[in-house]
Amino acid sequence: MTLLSGGGYAEYVNVHKDHVIRVPDSVKVEEAAAIPEAWITAYMITKTVGGISTGEDVFLYAGASGVGTAAIQLITKLFGGRAIALCSGDDKVAELKQLGANLVLDRSKNTNIVEEVKNFTNGKGVDLLLDCVGVSNYDKNCAMLKQDGRWILYGLMGGAKASNLNFGEFLGKRLSMISTTLRFVTTR
């Protein structure tokens, strides 16, 4: 298995030798296909870039995505944090709870995300926010993050450009934003 720059659907590909990962005998090839993109991204945004510590609260968009489901399991089962996930639909809510999410918010039910997150964290907000949406949730993100919170931006599904961002709350809370993507990782 490997991670390709831009995806790929082929029986054979040409990749750098350091990007090849042996598929364990206990894993089906079809299942192994999800490991590089979803699990490596999830590990990178939670630990390598996000710097999660035991006991931290983490909010993530697209909880039912491949990256989201991997991140929930890493946050709760490996790193000892609490995962707050956003998704849409009762079936996805149930799935994310089964994977270990501590709180699942269903955006199709017009949930007040900020209020729910604040209630769950006893008014403090989250330590770490994993954002694959981008600019359209800027105000919500600032409101959900606690003082000195970390915002990891790894996608732009909701837009990349904004004309009226207010950095007052961002600065006042001393928030950090880090952007990252696997697509431009070198062979080093």
Side-chain angles (χ1 to χ4, degrees):
M1 68 184 137
T2 190
L3 178 68
L4 300 174
S5 60
Y9 300 95
E11 188 173 351
Y12 299 100
V13 295
N14 183 16
V15 297
H16 190 279
K17 66 179 177 59
D18 292 341
H19 292 190
V20 177
I21 305 166
R22 185 184 161 287
V23 177
D25 294 336
S26 61
V27 178
K28 295 178 184 175
V29 173
E30 296 82 7
E31 294 169 345
I35 294 172
E37 185 75 35
W39 285 87
I40 293 173
T41 300
Y43 188 88
M44 183 178 69
I45 62 177
T46 55
K47 188 64 173 176
T48 308
V49 177
I52 188 173
S53 295
T54 302
E56 288 193 319
D57 290 319
V58 183
F59 178 87
L60 59 139
Y61 289 99
S65 68
V67 172
T69 57
I72 289 166
Q73 293 171 80
L74 291 172
I75 292 162
T76 61
K77 297 175 183 174
L78 183 62
F79 302 132
R82 295 194 311 170
I84 304 167
L86 184 68
C87 67
S88 182
D90 291 338
D91 55 334
K92 291 178 182 176
V93 169
E95 177 189 352
L96 298 186
K97 285 180 180 177
Q98 185 177 6
L99 289 175
N102 302 90
L103 176 65
V104 182
L105 303 173
D106 185 343
R107 67 181 181 86
S108 68
K109 295 185 178 177
N110 297 320
T111 302
N112 183 330
I113 297 166
V114 174
E115 185 178 307
E116 294 282 344
V117 167
K118 290 287 192 167
N119 288 339
F120 185 76
T121 60
N122 296 318
K124 295 177 186 173
V126 296
D127 301 279
L128 181 62
L129 189 142
L130 308 177
D131 183 6
C132 59
V133 178
V135 74
S136 64
N137 288 327
Y138 176 84
D139 291 331
K140 287 179 190 171
N141 293 350
C142 285
M144 282 191 286
L145 280 158
K146 70 188 294 185
Q147 186 84 18
D148 297 312
R150 303 174 317 278
W151 179 343
I152 309 303
L153 179 65
Y154 70 102
L156 298 169
M157 294 187 303
K161 295 182 180 183
S163 57
N164 293 321
L165 291 182
N166 179 347
F167 281 97
E169 187 172 16
F170 191 92
L171 183 62
K173 285 180 152 182
R174 297 189 311 259
L175 301 178
S176 299
M177 180 187 284
I178 303 168
S179 63
T180 189
T181 176
L182 277 181
R183 294 294 173 219
F184 299 105
V185 174
T186 66
T187 56
R188 289 182 268 129

